[in-house]
């Protein structure tokens, strides 16, 4: 991921206290930050609050940030730590309390099949899948969120996680395998 | 090629992140290995389900107000810091004036005055020591950025 000069300039200005420049940075990344947080914590209010808090912390620590490097990987670490610490403090996965009805507010199902019984069966499968995602450990849930919900390429994921492409593929394999096993367990197979 | 080496290629093939040469290698292995082929089919079904799920985007109003939410919180935290500094200064001043009037009171016994000095002195030393320890160890803590 190459950092563009505009962003570098905005970040340098933000370091000098220019809030308008930081506002532009926020508007560039707010949707991505929100959807990552939503993937980690599972509800809109918390995702909104945590993503905003991550930007606030980034602003307060902007002087520690190297403007020659990409902003998003650095910001992502702040966001990820906030989300995972929040989930731990709650002592239970925030998803586990999501009932079938509630979970439909978090994700949409893209299903062109009009048969109601098939749609219901599909929805039940997706609810089980969502519950299974929530039961994954942090590392596996992270890679699933980045790949499936953020639709990042392997190179982009590697950039965000500061690892190589091989590690991304390996982590994805084990995350999907754990997800598959957990889902089968959820479905009672 | 061994099955262990296939797991990365399996992911790359599933996500269409595979080169032509690797694709050929993978397809050839699938033809020869039933175990990997079965596992691949399971992953493919899983991916179909996950691909059909999209996180719901909030309404436009949320994005319009997103920055103002951040700005207000930054502003308020500056306000709280100034407020706290003001309170501390006023409390210290009030404390100083109270102690000054107590010390100047001729009816107050000497041992009470000594006790007041000892109380203030001891508290100040404890406060400075605790702050210094916090600051010193925080700066030297190699693991302060490690998520616990």
């Amino acid at each position: 991921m190459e950092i563009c000069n505009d962003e570098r300039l905005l970040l340098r200005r933000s370091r000098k206290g220019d809030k308008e420049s930081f506002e532009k940075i926020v508007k560039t990344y707010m949707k991505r930050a929100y959807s990552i947080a939503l993937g980690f914590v599972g509800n809109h209010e918390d995702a909104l609050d945590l993503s905003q808090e991550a930007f606030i912390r980034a602003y307060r620590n902007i002087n520690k940030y190297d403007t020659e490097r990409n902003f998003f990987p650095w910001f992502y670490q702040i966001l990820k730590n906030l989300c995972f610490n929040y989930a731990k403090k709650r002592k239970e996965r925030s998803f586990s309390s999501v009932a079938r009805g509630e979970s439909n507010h978090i994700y949409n199902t893209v299903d062109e099949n009009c048969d109601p019984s098939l749609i219901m069966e599909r929805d039940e499968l997706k609810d089980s899948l969502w519950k299974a995602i929530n039961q994954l450990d942090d590392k596996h849930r992270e890679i699933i969120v980045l790949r499936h919900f953020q639709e990042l390429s392997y190179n982009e994921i590697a950039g965000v996680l500061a690892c190589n492409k091989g590690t991304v593929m390996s982590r994805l394999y084990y995350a999907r395998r754990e997800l598959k096993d957990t889902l089968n367990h959820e479905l009672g197979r | 090629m061994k099955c262990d080496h296939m797991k990365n290629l399996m992911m790359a093939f599933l996500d269409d992140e595979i080169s032509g040469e690797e694709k050929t290698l993978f397809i050839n292995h699938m033809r020869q290995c039933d175990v990997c082929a079965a596992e691949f089919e399971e992953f493919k079904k899983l991916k179909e389900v996950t691909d059909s799920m999209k996180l719901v985007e909030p309404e436009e109003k949320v994005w319009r107000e997103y920055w103002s939410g951040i700005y207000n919180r930054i502003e308020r935290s500056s306000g709280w810091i100034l407020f706290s500094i003001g309170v501390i200064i006023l409390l210290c001043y009030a404390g100083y004036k109270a102690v000054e009037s107590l010390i100047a009171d001729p009816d107050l016994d000497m041992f009470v005055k000594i006790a007041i000095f000892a109380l203030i002195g001891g508290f100040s030393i404890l406060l400075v020591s605790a702050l210094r320890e916090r600051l010193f160890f925080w700066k030297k803590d190699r693991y302060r950025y490690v998520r616990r």
Side-chain angles (χ1 to χ4, degrees):
Chain A
M1 269 191 254
E2 292 295 317
I3 185 170
C4 71
N5 286 331
D6 288 343
E7 185 172 288
R8 195 178 278 132
L9 188 61
L10 288 173
L11 289 163
R12 283 188 188 139
R13 284 182 184 158
S14 300
R15 286 178 80 161
K16 290 176 185 168
D18 182 358
K19 288 194 180 70
E20 276 179 21
S21 296
F22 192 69
E23 180 183 353
K24 287 176 186 162
I25 299 284
V26 168
K27 285 185 173 167
T28 305
Y29 292 110
M30 63 183 178
K31 289 186 181 183
R32 204 198 288 192
Y34 166 82
S35 62
I36 288 174
L38 185 62
F40 287 152
V41 301
N43 74 74
H44 292 292
E45 289 74 27
D46 290 339
L48 194 63
D49 190 54
L50 287 166
S51 61
Q52 287 177 321
E53 179 63 29
F55 279 116
I56 290 167
R57 290 198 186 192
Y59 181 75
R60 286 189 188 140
N61 290 287
I62 199 93
N63 287 326
K64 292 177 190 165
Y65 162 70
D66 180 1
T67 52
E68 297 305 310
R69 299 173 81 90
N70 280 314
F71 172 76
F72 192 75
W74 177 74
F75 171 76
Y76 171 78
Q77 293 303 320
I78 298 172
L79 177 64
K80 179 181 83 168
N81 286 342
L82 267 174
C83 292
F84 287 162
N85 287 341
Y86 174 80
K88 262 191 193 144
K89 278 178 189 169
R90 284 181 61 167
K91 287 182 184 175
E92 59 178 1
R93 304 287 181 154
S94 45
F95 308 108
S96 64
S97 63
V98 171
R100 185 180 298 171
E102 282 180 58
S103 67
N104 284 335
H105 295 153
I106 297 165
Y107 63 83
N108 271 329
T109 54
V110 179
D111 201 325
E112 292 169 3
N113 195 320
C114 295
D115 186 332
S117 61
L118 282 173
I119 289 173
M120 196 190 296
E121 192 184 312
R122 196 87 178 185
D123 282 349
E124 282 180 16
L125 174 62
K126 285 165 190 169
D127 281 342
S128 298
L129 177 64
W130 188 244
K131 283 178 191 161
I133 289 173
N134 304 336
Q135 287 174 47
L136 295 178
D137 66 36
D138 292 348
K139 211 164 76 164
H140 289 162
R141 191 160 83 251
E142 178 184 28
I143 199 94
I144 294 288
V145 166
L146 290 176
R147 176 64 209 167
H148 287 287
F149 296 119
Q150 288 303 299
E151 295 175 341
L152 297 184
S153 68
Y154 285 5
N155 283 330
E156 286 170 332
I157 295 173
V160 165
L161 298 182
C163 62
N164 60 47
K165 201 171 155 180
T167 304
V168 171
M169 288 191 272
S170 177
R171 222 183 263 189
L172 200 47
Y173 172 83
Y174 289 109
R176 279 171 168 160
R177 198 173 73 172
E178 191 189 333
L179 183 59
K180 184 168 57 73
D181 293 341
T182 310
L183 179 61
N184 288 338
H185 184 263
E186 273 287 318
L187 296 170
R189 287 178 192 162
Chain B
M1 185 169 268
K2 288 186 178 173
C3 296
D4 257 356
H5 296 117
M6 276 298 129
K7 61 179 193 302
N8 282 2
L9 288 188
M10 193 183 289
M11 295 299 104
F13 185 87
L14 201 60
D15 294 324
D16 201 22
E17 293 250 5
I18 197 166
S19 66
E21 200 181 306
E22 287 173 332
K23 197 183 241 182
T24 309
L25 211 63
F26 177 73
I27 291 169
N28 286 340
H29 182 81
M30 288 297 110
R31 284 186 186 138
Q32 292 159 20
C33 178
D34 292 338
V35 171
C36 285
E39 191 175 36
F40 176 72
E41 283 305 312
E42 287 184 340
F43 279 134
K44 202 170 145 192
K45 281 179 194 161
L46 179 70
K47 190 172 182 299
E48 278 170 14
V49 181
T50 53
D51 282 352
S52 67
M53 285 169 65
K54 302 286 171 200
L55 291 175
V56 173
E57 275 230 359
E59 53 193 33
E60 207 43 49
K61 185 186 163 203
V62 169
W63 303 125
R64 283 199 304 269
E65 293 171 357
Y66 192 92
W67 166 248
S68 63
I70 291 172
Y71 183 83
N72 290 338
R73 281 160 77 167
I74 290 173
E75 207 176 46
R76 269 175 217 151
S77 68
S78 307
W80 275 114
I81 289 168
L82 280 173
F83 177 79
S84 304
I85 290 170
V87 165
I88 289 167
I89 291 171
L90 286 173
L91 281 174
C92 288
Y93 180 73
Y96 169 75
K97 283 291 176 191
V99 168
E100 197 185 38
S101 65
L102 277 172
I103 300 296
D105 184 356
D107 295 330
L108 200 64
D109 287 337
M110 183 53 74
F111 78 89
V112 175
K113 291 181 186 179
I114 292 170
I116 290 171
F117 270 123
L119 188 76
I120 294 166
F123 179 76
S124 304
I125 291 168
L126 284 171
L127 187 67
V128 167
S129 173
L131 281 173
R132 194 178 58 194
E133 184 185 340
R134 186 98 176 118
L135 217 64
F136 177 80
F137 281 113
W138 182 79
K139 275 186 184 166
K140 299 285 181 199
D141 182 9
R142 286 183 296 166
Y143 303 107
R144 69 185 147 124
Y145 292 120
V146 172
R147 182 169 62 88
R148 289 180 175 81

